[in-house]
Amino acid sequence: MSLSETAASVSGAFDSIPIIDIGHASTPDERIALAQQIREACVNVGFFYIRNHSIPQQTIDNVFSAMKAYFSLPLETKMKLYHKEVGNFRGYQPEMDSNTDLANKGDFHEGFAISWEELVPKENDEKRANDGAMAGTNVWPSEPAEFREACLNYCHAAIGVGKTLLPLFALALNLPETYFDDKTRNSAVAMRVLHYPPQTGPEDDGIVGVGAHSDFECFTILWQEPHIQALQLLNSENRWVDAPAIPGTLVISIGDQLARWTNDVFRSTVHRATNRTGVHRHSIPLFFGTDYHVQVEPMPSCVSPERPPKYEPVAAGDYVQQRLRDVYYRNTTLT
């Protein structure tokens, strides 16, 4: 069965999210077996968990500690790096600053956004030479002192996870393992550390942690604070399915870039986060994309007479920037 035929046969009425152990991918047979699991997850759900992801627990503990310390600072201190003044979506994002779903009043979380940066900064980083619409540099708070190092160590480790997944995605699409290599040379990633305060208002108050949306890049690597339920996925029956925060795992979600590239063979699933647990929740999404100058258009293997191309070509950076502007700069329903 072709990829197009496989996608056409899927109902999308999932009720759970698969867990895939990526710790054994050293032989061709192991990688092919993993790619089959990933294909099934991407076509049917658009999300999956991974175990044995290789990010050291100490790296996670360090960034978790640093982000909690940062978010505990006074608002006026954090607002010194307000992203709308810093530029190009880096820096601090306060509560209710975005409205992902216009059916709601706003997104009840705060965050801090960064992109790729070397641990030892380079004056002219060749990895950033072709960022185009997404060009810009990170900004960093003066406190906590360990914030920059902790965030970048985690960012670099998570990028390593992404580079482990890329050849498996290629195999899942019946492509050579190296297919994405020349399209992802420069770590075109965005990362956010997030804090979701407890939501205590009525459930119909129009305020959620983050509204229903799909992600912009190729895929997202998400760390969730363990044991705190917030993330939900929308299946084809319009039913919200919980994605519990399972210790020792990361959540991988297919984003719109990869959905466009695969002509929707891989599913970019709508999801949201609502924190009504009574405790504070933290998470770290890293959005892994193709290099920003790359043209994203449906792959020939995902196109057929019965499934013609659904999307026009678009430069990856232009697409991401426009989607971010839609979230942070369009009119909101705040009163």
Side-chain angles (χ1 to χ4, degrees), residues 121-133:
K122 292 182 178 179
E123 185 172 339
N124 295 300
D125 189 346
E126 65 276 6
K127 286 184 177 292
R128 304 279 61 86
N130 295 309
D131 280 358

Side-chain angles (χ1 to χ4, degrees), residues 86-158:
V86 169
N88 229 8
F89 311 104
R90 275 81 162 181
Y92 177 65
Q93 300 154 345
E95 295 167 12
M96 304 296 285
D97 187 62
S98 62
N99 194 15
T100 305
D101 181 354
L102 286 180
N104 299 320
K105 294 180 180 178
D107 297 330
F108 190 50
H109 69 263
E110 59 178 337
F112 195 94
I114 68 168
S115 61
W116 166 267
E117 183 179 312
E118 297 281 3
L119 281 168
V120 178
K122 292 182 178 179
E123 185 172 339
N124 295 300
D125 189 346
E126 65 276 6
K127 286 184 177 292
R128 304 279 61 86
N130 295 309
D131 280 358
M134 289 301 293
T137 56
N138 290 329
V139 293
W140 298 101
S142 58
E143 56 179 322
E146 66 275 11
F147 187 78
R148 176 184 179 273
E149 182 178 1
C151 286
L152 287 179
N153 279 335
Y154 178 87
C155 180
H156 290 194

Side-chain angles (χ1 to χ4, degrees), residues 222-240:
L222 174 69
W223 175 82
Q224 302 187 88
E225 185 172 354
H227 307 299
I228 300 176
Q229 174 58 47
L231 179 62
Q232 295 179 309
L233 323 182
L234 187 65
N235 72 11
S236 61
E237 297 177 335
N238 285 322
R239 185 167 60 84
W240 290 104

Side-chain angles (χ1 to χ4, degrees), residues 114-116 134 187-192 217 285-289 292:
I114 68 168
S115 61
W116 166 267
M134 289 301 293
S187 304
V189 300
M191 188 180 102
R192 300 174 70 206
E217 305 269 14
L286 182 137
F287 307 101
F288 195 109
Y292 288 131

Side-chain angles (χ1 to χ4, degrees), residues 113-268:
I114 68 168
S115 61
W116 166 267
E117 183 179 312
E118 297 281 3
L119 281 168
V120 178
K122 292 182 178 179
E123 185 172 339
N124 295 300
D125 189 346
E126 65 276 6
K127 286 184 177 292
R128 304 279 61 86
N130 295 309
D131 280 358
M134 289 301 293
T137 56
N138 290 329
V139 293
W140 298 101
S142 58
E143 56 179 322
E146 66 275 11
F147 187 78
R148 176 184 179 273
E149 182 178 1
C151 286
L152 287 179
N153 279 335
Y154 178 87
C155 180
H156 290 194
I159 288 171
V161 175
K163 291 188 177 295
T164 296
L165 290 172
L166 282 170
L168 299 175
F169 281 128
L171 289 173
L173 291 164
N174 297 329
L175 297 167
E177 290 186 54
T178 57
Y179 179 81
F180 292 108
D181 287 2
D182 63 345
K183 303 167 184 65
T184 54
R185 293 186 189 280
N186 297 318
S187 304
V189 300
M191 188 180 102
R192 300 174 70 206
V193 293
L194 300 176
H195 167 226
Y196 291 81
Q199 294 173 231
T200 58
E203 291 197 12
D204 61 354
D205 63 3
I207 297 173
V208 296
V210 61
H213 68 285
S214 56
D215 292 339
F216 315 150
E217 305 269 14
C218 285
F219 56 94
T220 303
I221 301 168
L222 174 69
W223 175 82
Q224 302 187 88
E225 185 172 354
H227 307 299
I228 300 176
Q229 174 58 47
L231 179 62
Q232 295 179 309
L233 323 182
L234 187 65
N235 72 11
S236 61
E237 297 177 335
N238 285 322
R239 185 167 60 84
W240 290 104
V241 177
D242 287 348
I246 302 173
T249 69
L250 299 171
V251 178
I252 309 299
S253 61
I254 300 304
D256 295 342
Q257 277 188 8
L258 195 50
R260 292 174 72 100
W261 230 340
T262 64
N263 208 30
D264 286 339
V265 169
F266 281 8
R267 181 184 300 268
S268 182

Side-chain angles (χ1 to χ4, degrees), residues 15 26 62 109 166 195 209 249 252 258 277 282 297 299 301 313 315:
D15 58 9
S26 59
N62 289 347
H109 69 263
L166 282 170
H195 167 226
T249 69
I252 309 299
L258 195 50
T277 63
H282 300 81
E297 57 186 313
M299 301 171 179
S301 62

